[in-house]
């Protein structure tokens, strides 16, 4: 297992730029908080390797060989769940965390928590599906690492999928990461520097599950985007990876994990 700090180190080596893949239910730092009983109930034929579930609060970023001290890390969906835990983890290791989310109340709570501990944090409440990414980046300044953690899940049978549901899920889960990455890459090219892009995907990009067709499709799209960008950008020192958690106890998954 590798520390999440490893995902934030830019590299120009083609061998280090390909997205890493994890087998179903193989735990990583981002997926070790798993409701095993729920997974076994939904997928009885799959052997679940992860430990018992605890709410995800802060993910360990430390590494004996890699430091994120002073790095500027932009995290979408940072107000809750995995995004919030990542913000705390990077801040605890000395990174400057730049946090985007819709909920200003949750962002203010995160900001207060981190500042009381002497951490460096900036917050910006914004609806990413309607935002100008150029304006966001102008406000926040240059970054070293971009983490796409914002996501939307609306589960239903295929017969109940509406166009509105499809468009909403694809807008936040696919369109936003693609177009925000494009703007960040453009800035890095302008500054002649490398960087790191991390997509929070899902094991549902690799396996099927009842009532998860739209969500699975959106995460599969992210996997394809990550693979292509990794190859396209490796020569410029821009590293692209995905992390694929399984069931992780967050506000978004709480109902499914009951």
């Amino acid at each position: 297992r590798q520390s999440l700090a490893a995902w934030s180190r830019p590299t120009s080596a083609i061998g280090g730029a390909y997205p890493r893949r994890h087998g179903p239910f193989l735990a990583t730092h981002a997926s070790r908080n798993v409701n095993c009983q729920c997974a076994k109930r939904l997928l009885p034929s799959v052997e679940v390797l992860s430990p018992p579930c605890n709410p995800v609060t802060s993910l360990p970023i430390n590494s004996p060989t890699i430091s994120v001290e002073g790095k500027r890390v932009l995290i979408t969906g940072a107000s809750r769940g995995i995004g919030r835990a990542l913000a705390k983890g990077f801040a605890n290791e000395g990174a400057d965390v730049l946090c985007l989310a819709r909920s200003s109340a949750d962002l203010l709570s995160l900001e207060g928590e981190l500042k009381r501990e002497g951490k460096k944090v900036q917050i910006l409440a914004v609806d990413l599906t309607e935002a100008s990414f150029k304006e966001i980046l102008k406000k926040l300044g240059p970054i070293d690492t971009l983490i796409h953690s914002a996501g939307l899940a609306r589960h239903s049978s295929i017969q109940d999928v509406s166009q509105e549901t499809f468009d909403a899920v694809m807008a936040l889960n696919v369109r936003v990461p693609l177009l925000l990455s494009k703007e960040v890459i453009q800035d890095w090219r302008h500054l002649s520097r490398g960087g790191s892009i991390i997509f929070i995907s899902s094991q549902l990009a690799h396996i099927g599950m009842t009532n998860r067709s739209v969500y699975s499709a959106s995460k599969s799209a992210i996997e394809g985007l990550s693979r292509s960008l990794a190859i396209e950008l490796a020569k410029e020192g821009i590293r692209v990876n995905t992390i694929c958690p399984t069931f992780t106890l967050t506000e978004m998954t709480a109902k499914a994990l009951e």
Side-chain angles (χ1 to χ4, degrees):
R1 297 174 186 168
Q2 291 204 1
S3 162
L4 283 179
W7 303 94
S8 69
R9 181 178 62 177
T11 177
S12 58
I14 193 76
Y18 287 85
R20 298 176 185 269
R21 304 288 293 276
H22 301 290
F25 299 98
L26 183 62
T28 67
H29 281 307
S31 63
R32 53 171 66 161
N33 293 308
V34 177
N35 190 313
C36 297
Q37 296 307 315
C38 176
K40 289 176 179 177
R41 185 172 70 251
L42 295 174
L43 293 170
S45 63
V46 175
E47 180 182 1
V48 181
L49 304 181
S50 303
C53 183
N54 294 303
V56 58
T57 55
S58 179
L59 297 173
I61 310 297
N62 60 301
S63 165
T65 58
I66 300 170
S67 172
V68 296
E69 182 81 29
K71 296 293 185 183
R72 291 173 55 81
V73 181
L74 175 59
I75 305 171
T76 71
S79 62
R80 300 178 182 179
I82 291 175
R84 189 181 182 104
L86 285 170
K88 291 181 181 180
F90 274 97
N92 287 339
E93 293 303 316
D96 297 2
V97 291
L98 316 173
C99 302
L100 304 182
R102 293 183 183 182
S103 172
S104 57
D106 290 331
L107 284 174
L108 287 169
S109 167
L110 174 63
E111 180 186 41
E113 186 176 342
L114 293 178
K115 285 189 172 180
R116 283 193 297 271
E117 298 173 358
K119 312 303 183 186
K120 296 178 181 179
V121 56
Q122 288 179 252
I123 62 171
L124 182 61
V126 61
D127 183 346
L128 290 171
T129 62
E130 299 179 358
S132 166
F133 300 135
K134 286 184 182 293
E135 290 301 314
I136 289 175
L137 296 176
K138 182 185 292 186
K139 289 180 181 178
L140 297 177
I143 67 171
D144 298 291
T145 298
L146 170 61
I147 303 178
H148 295 287
S149 186
L152 177 64
R154 293 184 182 176
H155 304 318
S156 68
S157 69
I158 188 64
Q159 295 300 319
D160 294 326
V161 173
S162 66
Q163 182 172 333
E164 188 276 331
T165 290
F166 179 86
D167 290 345
V169 172
M170 290 298 174
L172 187 57
N173 292 9
V174 182
R175 176 165 58 84
V176 165
L178 189 154
L179 296 180
L180 179 53
S181 294
K182 174 185 173 182
E183 293 297 332
V184 170
I185 291 163
Q186 182 173 305
D187 284 354
W188 285 339
R189 284 173 168 168
H190 178 72
L191 297 170
S192 299
R193 62 183 294 182
S196 174
I197 300 173
I198 302 169
F199 297 97
I200 305 300
S201 181
S202 169
Q203 286 296 324
L204 288 177
H206 304 279
I207 60 174
M209 185 176 291
T210 301
N211 298 335
R212 302 299 198 276
S213 57
V214 178
Y215 183 78
S216 295
S218 72
K219 293 303 182 180
S220 295
I222 284 298
E223 297 279 317
L225 173 62
S226 178
R227 284 191 292 270
S228 295
L229 288 181
I231 296 170
E232 180 179 344
L233 302 173
K235 61 182 180 295
E236 300 176 60
I238 298 173
R239 187 174 183 177
V240 183
N241 288 283
T242 61
I243 297 176
C244 303
T246 180
F247 294 98
T248 304
L249 184 56
T250 66
E251 291 88 343
M252 188 172 76
T253 63
K255 186 174 181 179
L257 294 176
E258 288 177 352

